[in-house]
Structures are given as structure tokens and as C-alpha cells.
Amino acid sequence: MIADYVMIGGFLGAGKTTAVLALAKSLAAKGRRVGLITNDQSVGLVDTALAAAGGFPVEEITGGCFCCRFTSLTEAADRLQERSRPDVFIAEPVGSCTDLRASVSYPLRRLYGASYRVAPLSVLVDPIRALRIFGLEQGRAFSPRVQYVYEKQLEEADLIVVNKIDLIDEGRLDRLRRELMARLPDAEVLAISARKGTGVADWFERIFATELGLVASPDVDYDVYADGEARLGWVNATLHVTSDGMTDGNELLMALATAIQRPLAAGDVEIAHCKMTLTAEGLGGDMAALNLVGSDAVPELSHRLADPLTAGELLLNLRAEASPDRLQAVVEEGIVEAARATGVRFRTVHTEAFSPPRPKPTYRMATA
Ligand SMILES: Nc1nc2c(ncn2[C@@H]2O[C@H](COP(=O)(O)OP(=O)(O)OP(=O)(O)O)[C@@H](O)[C@H]2O)c(=O)[nH]1
Ligand SMILES: [Mg+2]
């Protein structure tokens, strides 16, 4: 049987996980069996928790990206195959990775073409981030090396999917669309709201109506790419939370996010994405999830805990343009402040702060 392999890329916080889950739901409703693959440089993934909460079989690849661990990708697909025999795999690459066409899509097509039909490469765009990066609007952006990675991600897309259109008016969307079409004349530009469902049916149809475009991959200067990626610091933490009385877990996530955001915004550090989940112990796996997609953005709860809790597990994944040490210190101080504000106790189960290492793809096939 040939399964579909769908990869949904895009920069950190663009809405990949939200879109992956929306696509998975829509396919499951049509009777298709879906398997999800998440990816990160480290363990303790918010995205895996969200995918599992969505009720889908999920395999995670930790400790490196798909491109650098190509074999792990096919092994993850094999494990999903054993568990639930998916006929569609949906993979979310790390949001700071690029060159996926050459290092994942083409190798998959060439080496495993008998097992997978590789869908066109979709790259999601957060319109507010993009308007700033392209200089069309004022606001905090990233340094040029990080923007290099951002631009390379767009350059390799078959489908550029402007997401979150519920946040912008027609005029801003038009301006962005024109800019994208001028910069990337060969790509198809779509506009959706993964959250509200606007435009997603058309996009999903495009994913299955066509195949991966067989164009040459963009040239990528790996020195610049590696430097751009390394300027982003990452913190992944798994924390055990307890309180003597009942605590509102939603407020706890808000308190922690605010305590992390404040010093970073004041220190002129741009947050790419700060995300957290809090899973309550003994409440049937009920979970809250919080996302913050910029230093001047507003932290948002995408899932809320229905009931207060006395114990739970908190996963925190922070990516921002600053050194890992600085981010780690901000997280530690944030934990102290959130504990003081809410009266809970935190115990660190696992924590890791680092910058992504230089990407070294297993394969690099510039053409199909
Ligand atoms: N308003 C709005 N928010 C959205 C939409 N899609 C996603 N978001 C929000 O954007 C934030 C980031 O979404 P994710 O799906 O986690 O983004 P991601 O690209 O998977 O992020 P990383 O995995 O960290 O790179 C969350 O708060 C989402 O709820 C949308 O269509 N509209
Ligand atoms: Mg994600």
C-alpha cells in the first residue's frame, strides 16, 4: 500500500501543530487512518502532548531534526505502521529548519517512492511576523541570519499558506499576498485560518490533488543557515507541580508565561515561540495549553483545564533569539515568580537549554 506523506513546515509559531491537527481531524472524518510525526531537538515536547490529546497516534523524533536524522523519520513511520497502519502520515518539522525539500522530500521520494506518495511541501506563514520581516510593518523582528532561515523556508515551498487570517484585515492580507507573490513567483499562495477553519478545505484539497513539485531545491549556504539557527536559544523543561490547596492551572500557565515574557521583552529579545502544557494528575488527562508567539504578543490559552488541580505535569518549550544560558535564567526566575504568585511548588524533572547544532543532513538531493 502506498501511504501519503504530508509535511507541513513554517517558522516557529506559524501554526503548524494547529494545522496538522485540523488536517488530521478532517481526514479522520473521511475514514482515513492518520499517523502524526512530531520533531524536536530535545525531549519533553508540547506538540506531542497536543497531538496525543487530539486522539491521534503520534511518534516523536527527538534529539535532532528529520533532515539530520532521516533514518529516524522512516523508523518512526514504521512504528506508526505497526501500531495503527496509517494511510496518511503528517509530519511537522522543527520550525527553525530549512532545506527540507533536498534533505527530506526528495530522499523520501527517491528511496521510498514505492511506499510513499509525497505531497506538495506546504509552508505556513504567520502574517504578523511576515509583515514585520518583510519590512511592511513596524515591529520587532529577528536578526538577518535568522531571517535568512525564514526566507529559505519560504523559497522551498510549493504551497505558501498564510495562516491566522482571522487576525488581519483584507488590506494587510492583500499587501502580504502581493509581497509573497513578488518574492516567490513560482509558489502558490493560499490564505487560511487553521483555528477558525477558513480556507482549509481548499488547502487540504490541494495537498491531495497534486504531488511534490519536482523543481530544483534552493541553494542554501549552510554556514549562514547554521549560524541563523544557532542564534535561537531553546529551553525544554518538564516540571512537576503540586499545591496544598486547589490551584487554577490556567492562571498558573498565564503567570509563568508573563513572568518569562516580561524580562525578555524588556531586554529586547524576540520570542519566536513559548509554549506550555499542564496536564492535571487524576483528572482523566485534562490539559491546559498556552502559546506566546512574540515578545509583544499576548499569551493565549488554546486549551483550558475545566477544574482546579492539586498536582500536574508542566511542559515548557521556549525558543527565542538569545543565548540558551540567558533563556534558562529567565525561565528559572519565572518559575520562582510564578510559584510565589500562585502558591504552587515546582520540581524540575528535566531541563535542557541549548542552541540547535549545525545541521548535517543525512542526505541532500538537490533535485528529484
Ligand atoms: N488567531 C489564530 N491563531 C492561530 C491560528 N493557527 C494557530 N494559531 C495559534 O498560534 C499559536 C502557535 O500555534 P502552533 O500550532 O503551536 O504553531 P507551530 O508552528 O506548531 O509552533 P512550533 O511547533 O513551536 O514551531 C497558538 O497559539 C495557536 O493557537 C489561526 O488560524 N488563528
Ligand atoms: Mg508545533
Side-chain angles (χ1 to χ4, degrees), residues 66-71 74 99-108 110-112 222 360-366:
F66 293 158
C67 26
C68 303
R69 308 194 65 210
F70 184 82
T71 318
T74 51
D99 209 25
L100 296 161
R101 175 180 288 278
S103 61
V104 179
S105 308
Y106 288 162
L108 201 60
R110 276 212 224 165
L111 305 173
Y112 294 90
Y222 267 71
K360 292 194 188 109
T362 317
Y363 299 105
R364 185 169 196 284
M365 299 179 183

Side-chain angles (χ1 to χ4, degrees), residues 85-120:
R85 306 192 56 72
D87 50 36
V88 189
F89 293 90
I90 313 176
E92 175 182 341
V94 176
S96 62
C97 277
T98 188
D99 209 25
L100 296 161
R101 175 180 288 278
S103 61
V104 179
S105 308
Y106 288 162
L108 201 60
R109 200 172 170 278
R110 276 212 224 165
L111 305 173
Y112 294 90
S115 310
Y116 303 106
R117 187 199 74 97
V118 184

